[in-house]
Amino acid sequence: DIQMTQSPSTLSASVGDRVTITCRASQSVSSLLAWYQQKPGKAPKLLIYKASSLESGVPSRFSGSGSGTEFTLTISSLQPDDFATYYCQQYNSYSTFGQGTRLEIK
Amino acid sequence: EVQLVQSGAEVKKPGESLKISCKGSGYSFTSYWIGWVRQMPGKGLEWMGIIYPGESDTRYSPSFQGQVTISADKSISTAYLQWNSLKASDTAMYYCARGSYYMDVWGKGTTVTVSS
């Protein structure tokens, strides 16, 4: 199995901050990586696919980059609605999710 | 509107069987893979497997192979996740979602509680 490791596990930030979440794969997944946002009691929401492609309807303050084994999700200017848990997911070999990064208000 | 509507919450005893459902609408159900994702209480997301309803082609995560069965009935645009003998450790929220690997449309989830 390909293991996905996110860092940090928890991130405290303020509205307007620029934040970056990192996701590392135990072996190369090429660009076959997605990012999701999940709020408490809700289903996950797709933000980014193929490492850097923005899903339709997702605000442009979200961006993704990387390939191979290291990826990042960046939120350029945090909005109140962005405080949530974020997951990366590789889909190069079957599929596995990272353990999640909880983004909380500082 | 594209949506996936999942069946309601279930409370079962260990050893019982269960089949939960996910009905697609607003798109060609037979043209997209449907996947299942587990989320245990307070934990992260786990990819369980996928099915292509048009051909019933099914792929399982090695972690879930043999533990569950994924199926679909294309005549009613519905996918299923099934257990033959539930365990307490199957207690979780189960989501269905559209997509072969990354998933763009999600159901609201079905809570499964297994307790004696």
Side-chain angles (χ1 to χ4, degrees), chain B residues 2-115:
Chain B
V2 176
Q3 57 179 348
L4 296 171
V5 178
Q6 297 190 233
S7 50
E10 301 276 0
V11 179
K12 292 289 191 179
K13 291 181 167 42
E16 291 186 332
S17 62
L18 176 63
K19 193 173 190 177
I20 62 175
S21 66
C22 170
K23 182 174 177 62
S25 62
Y27 73 101
S28 175
F29 185 73
T30 54
S31 299
Y32 289 82
W33 293 79
I34 290 281
W36 288 94
V37 175
R38 182 174 80 175
Q39 188 166 37
M40 300 176 76
K43 302 299 184 183
L45 305 171
E46 299 174 272
W47 188 89
M48 301 176 72
I50 51 174
I51 187 166
Y52 190 70
E55 299 169 1
S56 288
D57 185 3
T58 311
R59 321 256 173 103
Y60 293 92
S61 161
S63 300
F64 290 92
Q65 178 83 49
Q67 307 305 307
V68 297
T69 301
I70 295 171
S71 61
D73 183 340
K74 61 184 180 182
S75 69
I76 54 171
S77 301
T78 301
Y80 301 98
L81 180 64
Q82 181 177 356
W83 295 260
N84 289 334
S85 180
L86 286 160
K87 302 184 281 286
S89 57
D90 293 317
T91 294
M93 176 72 82
Y94 293 88
Y95 294 102
C96 66
R98 187 181 77 167
S100 56
Y101 289 100
Y102 73 84
M103 294 156 161
D104 64 347
V105 178
W106 292 66
K108 293 186 176 180
T110 296
T111 300
V112 173
T113 303
V114 184
S115 174

Side-chain angles (χ1 to χ4, degrees), chain A residues 3-106:
Chain A
Q3 308 302 318
M4 307 300 293
T5 304
Q6 291 181 230
S7 60
S9 295
T10 306
L11 179 57
S12 297
S14 302
V15 172
D17 284 354
R18 178 184 180 91
V19 299
T20 297
I21 298 169
T22 297
C23 179
R24 289 187 173 88
S26 59
Q27 63 190 75
S28 177
V29 297
S30 185
S31 295
L32 301 181
L33 186 109
W35 290 96
Y36 299 85
Q37 176 194 68
Q38 187 180 32
K39 296 181 179 178
K42 300 294 186 181
K45 174 187 174 184
L46 178 66
L47 301 174
I48 302 283
Y49 61 95
K50 217 184 300 179
S52 61
S53 296
L54 192 67
E55 173 68 352
S56 176
V58 173
S60 59
R61 63 181 179 273
F62 291 92
S63 64
S65 65
S67 65
T69 61
E70 187 152 336
F71 302 86
T72 58
L73 172 70
T74 298
I75 310 172
S76 60
S77 178
L78 270 176
Q79 299 302 300
D81 192 49
D82 299 338
F83 293 95
T85 300
Y86 293 83
Y87 293 93
C88 63
Q89 178 210 15
Q90 69 81 17
Y91 51 97
N92 181 66
S93 174
Y94 293 101
S95 181
T96 45
F97 289 92
Q99 82 279 15
T101 294
R102 181 170 170 244
L103 178 53
E104 60 180 29
I105 301 173
K106 185 185 283 185

